Every structure is written in structure tokens, then in C-alpha cells.
Amino acid sequence: MQFRSTKSKLPLVSYKEAVLSCLPDDGGLYVPDQTADIRQFLFQMNEKTSFNDMVAIVAPSILEGGLNPISASKVAASAYNFQPELIRLNEGLSLLNLYNGPTGIFKDFGIAFLSAILEEFINEGEKAMILSAARADTAVSMAHAFSGRKGISLVLLYPSGQIRGLDPSAFVQNGGNIIPIQVKGTFDDCQRLVVETINDREFSQRYKVTSANTINAGRLLPQVFYYLYAFIQLKNDLSEDLIFSVPSGNFGNLIAGLYAWKFGMPVNGFIAAMNINNSFGDYILGKTFKPKPLVSTNSPALDVSVPLNYERLASFYEEAPAVMRNMVYPSSIGDDLTLQTMEAVYKKYNVHIDPNTAVAFAAAQKVIAEREWNCNAHTVVLATGHPAREASLAEETAGTSIDVPRSLLALKKKCEPVAVISPQLETLESAIASCF
Ligand SMILES: *Cc1c(COP(=O)(O)O)cnc(C)c1O
């Protein structure tokens, strides 16, 4: 599979190039150019296939020469010591638990694979620098994934305020490869600095800078794996339609589902589950996209007004608008219904869910009722966050206590940055240079 920019048809670059140099010169984002067909592999696998075995089989096929099978199985083993888990709630409903990684968030799946494949791609003696904007938990996920990776250093830019949960023994001044830098500014300043640094071609070539943010197409691909995994777990029991309900903020997760479909996974639809920040739903329904001001909700991971993956999603709609309108169903859920759903799911199925997952759960119920979908349809709700991350909310709604894993408690520990800088490109570049 080769990649092209959302802004032009040519030139095409390999997956390796798209990962190591993640922004095309024309200001677009990389998207796959043609897509692989992995149907034959999906039909050979079943509920007995382990997640890592599945990854080792499908990754080389999706990347068509970009990764050989031996490397793929090495990368899978080095990325994943955690797995997705499909929880069958009843005949027509499952939860896909994606929160068993180090930070209790599904983003661990993409970040872990990207870190492992980068290490695999870098040849003996070569170096690369990952420059990423990150808030607390994503920062921890990245630090976990990149810590100790050969030839790679990780610069984490985070906005003013405390940083929590990082392990100082992995920092550069203690002999590690992690460089947390606090930026006196907002998260948007951090994201802007990442793009500016990469676009400073002299600097970014000297240090071989790329990013682990969603601007890197390499992070989308591994998110395809857990959709495929859910499919092979379920396929022998599926009689009719298969629907995924996806809690959506920046829409990376949903786009990964669309790629799984493009690669040949049989699926009938995706529910784009949003909270009250739902202006992107208009776009999905075929209207023009007009961002609305951001509202804070009790499902904060979905509080996004302009999705970072806007261009990637738009490229699907430009190709086949009518098909897309029969594939993606937007739905918006308010705070009250989110809490009621957390309570109802616990009472009915005895499982805790986090508020972001609750949005997807409620959206699934709403869309299925509205569309009178075939009653034999099977819906998979993506559980993107560990319920113990919002323990007090989960406990309040369910009326019982919840065990908080030790790894999640460690996320609360404060730590100091390596440098504190003003939000300017030159300041950032000299702070980075001083670490080497
Ligand atoms: C990031 C996040 C989401 C939203 O995912 P996108 O890919 O940005 O749409 C949903 N739930 C949780 C818990 C998250 O951290």
C-alpha cells in the first residue's frame, strides 16, 4: 500500500516514508492511495486466532511489501502485551473493550504499534525523533511506548499546567530517551509547534523529526486491527448485519473502521457517536461543516469542535458521497442520557462503562430504534476508556465501588519537565538541540 497527500494525487510514498516523514510538503495529510484486499485472510481466521497472530498476518498484507511477515510478528510482539477483549452482552450486542493498555485508553493500540514499527524501520546506527503534542494521558501512553526504543528519542510538548504519570527515570537527563517540554501556552500552541518544526525542513532533516500525533498516518493503521479482531471473533455467529458504534472526537477511530471496511471486512454501518459537540454530524449528513463553539461535557474525550481528521474523512466523502451516507450514521447524546446509560448498562449487564463509551452505547440504541434495523443485526460498541479512569462517576451512577488498577493510579503522580519554554519555534528548537 502506498500513501498520497489529501491535497494531491502524486507523488506516492511508502508506509515507511509516510511514518518517518509524516507531513507532505503540500500541507495535506497522508492517506492510503489504493487499498489492500484482506478478505481471504479474514476467512481463514476465527475466534481461536490470537490478536498478535492476526496482526502478524494482516499487517504485511495491508502494507503489501512495506513489512515482511517475520518483521510483522516481531513488531506485534514488541507492541502488544495487552489485547482487545470482546464482551458478549447478548445475542445482538457486544462491547469491544479497548482499555487494557498502559493508560486505559484505546489510543494505546495505535501508539504502541507505531513505536514498535518505527524501531523496526530504523536501521542500525540511524536515529529518529518523535515530536508530539500531548495532554496527560496521551503523553503517558507515548512515553510508555517509546521508552527505551533503540535510536529513537521522544519530545513531548504539553501545555501549561502539571504533567502527571510520566516516569522520570526514562527522561533524557537520567539516561533515558524521553524529553518532556512544557509550553507556556495552550494545547493548540503545542500542535502548531509540532507542524512548524516538521515543516522547518532543515531542522527536521537534521534530527529526523516525525510525530506520533494523529497527523501521522502510521497511527491510524493499527487501529484497523481491533475492528478486524472483533469481526473474526464474531463471524461464525453473525447471521445478519454488523454495526459498530464509535465514540467520536477527532474521528481517528471511526476512520480506522472505514479502512477496515475498505480492506474487505464485511460491515453494514458505523455509528458516529458524539456528545453535544455534534457540528460534524451535519457534514456527515451532507450539509456544509460549520464548527460550533466547544461545550464542556461529562464525556470530555469527545469535546472537539473541529476534528483533526477532517481532511481524511472528507476524502472518503469526495470519493463516494452516496455510499458514505449509507455507511456512517451520526448521533448526538446529551449529558443526562450519558449518565443514565452508565447506570442502565451496569444494572442490566453488570459491567461498568466510562462516559465516552456510554455515549456510543446510547447512540447505538437510538440509531437502531430510529432506523428499525433488522432485529438480527449485531452491534459492537467500542469501549474506548477504562471505567476506573472516571471512577467516581462510574461509582455514582452504578451505586457500587470500582477497582482502580495500579497502572491507572500511577497516572496521577506529578513530575517535572526537562524545560519550560515560550511557544516559539526558535525557542523549541534550541531547547531540543541542548539535549544532545
Ligand atoms: C480520544 C478518545 C476518544 C475519541 O477518539 P477519536 O479517534 O478522537 O474520535 C474516545 N474515547 C476516549 C476515551 C478517548 O481517549
Side-chain angles (χ1 to χ4, degrees), residues 234-247:
L234 280 169
K235 67 168 190 172
N236 288 334
D237 291 341
L238 284 177
S239 49
E240 304 274 343
D241 296 356
L242 174 63
I243 317 284
F244 285 93
S245 184
V246 188

Side-chain angles (χ1 to χ4, degrees), residues 275-276 296-299 333-340:
N275 60 29
I276 205 74
S296 286
T297 71
N298 58 17
S299 46
I333 301 298
D335 272 2
D336 289 347
L337 185 54
T338 303
L339 295 182
Q340 284 163 24

Side-chain angles (χ1 to χ4, degrees), residues 105-107 223 247-254 301-302 354 356 384-385:
I105 301 181
F106 80 98
K107 295 182 182 75
Q223 294 187 356
S248 295
N250 280 311
F251 280 78
N253 205 356
L254 190 102
L302 313 184
D354 91 320
N356 307 292
T384 49

Side-chain angles (χ1 to χ4, degrees), residues 93-204:
L93 186 62
S94 297
L95 267 179
L96 183 61
N97 163 355
L98 300 174
Y99 53 68
N100 288 335
T103 62
I105 301 181
F106 80 98
K107 295 182 182 75
D108 288 331
F109 280 94
I111 292 167
F113 186 84
L114 181 60
S115 70
I117 203 165
L118 271 163
E119 189 179 44
E120 180 68 21
F121 280 159
I122 290 174
N123 299 322
E124 201 61 44
E126 281 180 353
K127 296 213 172 311
M129 176 183 291
I130 318 302
L131 175 63
S132 292
R135 280 179 274 230
D137 301 327
T138 319
V140 179
S141 182
M142 289 183 186
H144 258 277
F146 284 99
S147 183
R149 295 249 177 234
K150 244 171 70 200
I152 300 179
S153 50
L154 171 69
V155 180
L156 288 168
L157 298 185
Y158 67 93
S160 288
Q162 288 158 350
I163 186 86
R164 292 176 185 271
L166 297 178
D167 173 10
S169 70
F171 292 178
V172 71
Q173 71 271 35
N174 301 323
N177 62 338
I178 312 292
I179 307 171
I181 297 180
Q182 186 180 92
V183 175
K184 289 187 240 162
T186 61
F187 185 65
D188 286 340
D189 290 319
C190 299
Q191 302 217 71
R192 172 180 53 80
L193 283 170
V194 170
V195 173
E196 282 179 13
T197 309
I198 293 173
N199 284 334
D200 177 352
R201 297 289 155 164
E202 199 199 313
F203 185 87
S204 62

